Amino acid sequence: MKAVVLEKKGIINVREVPDTPTPAAGELTIAPHTVGVCGSDLHYYTHGRVGKYIVEQPMILGHEAAGTVVAVGDDVEGFQIGDRVAMEPGIPNMSSRASKLGMYNVDPAVRFFATPPVDGCLCETVNHPAAFTYHLPDSVSFGEGALLEPAAVAMWAATKARIKPGDVCVVTGSGTVGMLTASCALAGGASKVIISDVSSIKLAIAAKVPGIIPVDLTKEDLIERVHEETGGWGADVAFECSGAPKVYETFWKLIAPGGAAVIVGIPVNPVSIDITELQATEVRIENVFRYANVYQKAIDLVANGKLDLKPFITDTFAMEDAKAAFDRMAEGRPGDIKLQITVERR
């Protein structure tokens, strides 16, 4: 079968790889239809590593995917050939302590698509556990189904925030996850979400979502705007989605006493935190690593019109043009939110 393979840092080929074997008990064979290009995929392409995960051998890329079931393994119930599905890409050890505690996303043994040495799903077929596969309603497109993966990150962030009806939230960074986090915060009951960035194009896209207030950092002070929107009190919840270390110089000043900070973006360098400042306001800090138990909730929100993913899909490439998709993402065009690749099965 054909696959999009990262041979090593800087080299992507669309080439033949061994066919997917017959699905084992509890597994489905799925033909991906649409696969999103993620920041981690790009880092492997441009840098050959993401933190401790290093590309040491050719690896199939892709982990944001939706497609169609083409084979059903033994002991699988509720799925049949032809079903449209989305795949949750992290597969934990279900007998691990983390899994038993309901925190399977932090299981040290989790296998995640396109995380060395595990192959991804930018290929014609892939085997995946039925337990981490979800039916797509007819009203949800394959493109939206592939976007469920970053939406799940946003759902998990909103869940960890413990948003209460009427809360005012602020999001720093209006990339894919930042915009989706703002949308999920609104779906979770926030009265409004202030989102900041230096890209006026991205902010204009975010502003199309009712309830989102854009703040262009090249023209406006975020702290002043947050205080203006909250009567000087501060945001009930602040989500850090940019991953930029400089944000932390002022991030904590956005949050109201007793509020919550949710760390979503991953800083490229260590950041300093003034603990005494946080102690004086009893700000609660939550961290996000992927997600757990939210995929179906994300699907339900999309299917019922509470979460609109369509505005965040910028462009779609054919599988043969996968390298062009990655090169375009590397350009960092201001108007690009999510680029996706469609897979044609022979």
Side-chain angles (χ1 to χ4, degrees), residues 5-13 45 61 323:
V5 181
L6 176 63
E7 308 289 0
K8 61 181 180 179
K9 173 184 171 182
I11 299 179
I12 288 176
N13 287 322
Y45 175 42
L61 291 165
K323 185 180 183 302

Side-chain angles (χ1 to χ4, degrees), residues 185-341:
L186 289 167
S191 59
K192 55 187 172 182
V193 180
I194 303 152
I195 188 167
S196 66
D197 206 286
V198 295
S199 170
S200 60
I201 298 175
K202 280 187 169 64
L203 291 171
I205 296 170
K208 294 178 182 178
V209 179
I212 290 182
I213 300 170
V215 173
D216 187 336
L217 297 177
T218 67
K219 302 176 181 178
E220 192 173 359
D221 184 87
L222 180 59
I223 295 175
E224 290 181 4
R225 184 60 183 273
V226 169
H227 284 186
E228 177 185 325
E229 296 287 342
T230 61
W233 183 240
D236 299 293
V237 180
F239 298 92
E240 205 309 282
C241 296
S242 73
K246 186 173 178 59
V247 169
Y248 288 92
E249 296 175 9
T250 56
F251 181 69
W252 312 108
K253 301 184 189 310
L254 303 170
I255 310 167
V262 185
I263 310 303
V264 186
I266 302 175
V268 294
N269 296 307
V271 299
S272 297
I273 299 176
D274 184 350
I275 296 299
T276 59
E277 181 181 10
L278 302 181
Q279 287 176 318
T281 55
E282 292 197 351
V283 166
R284 170 172 55 88
I285 300 177
E286 297 282 355
N287 288 290
V288 168
F289 183 67
R290 296 171 179 160
Y291 36 77
N293 302 305
V294 294
Y295 238 79
Q296 186 60 54
K297 291 182 179 180
I299 292 171
D300 293 342
L301 281 175
V302 174
N304 290 304
K306 301 293 185 181
L307 180 60
D308 186 5
L309 301 180
K310 296 183 184 69
F312 307 122
I313 301 172
T314 304
D315 207 349
T316 304
F317 293 73
M319 187 180 189
E320 293 297 327
D321 299 322
K323 185 180 183 302
F326 280 88
D327 288 339
R328 174 164 158 182
M329 187 173 181
E331 291 178 26
R333 297 185 188 182
D336 286 351
I337 306 302
K338 175 57 64 176
L339 304 179
Q340 296 183 327
I341 297 168

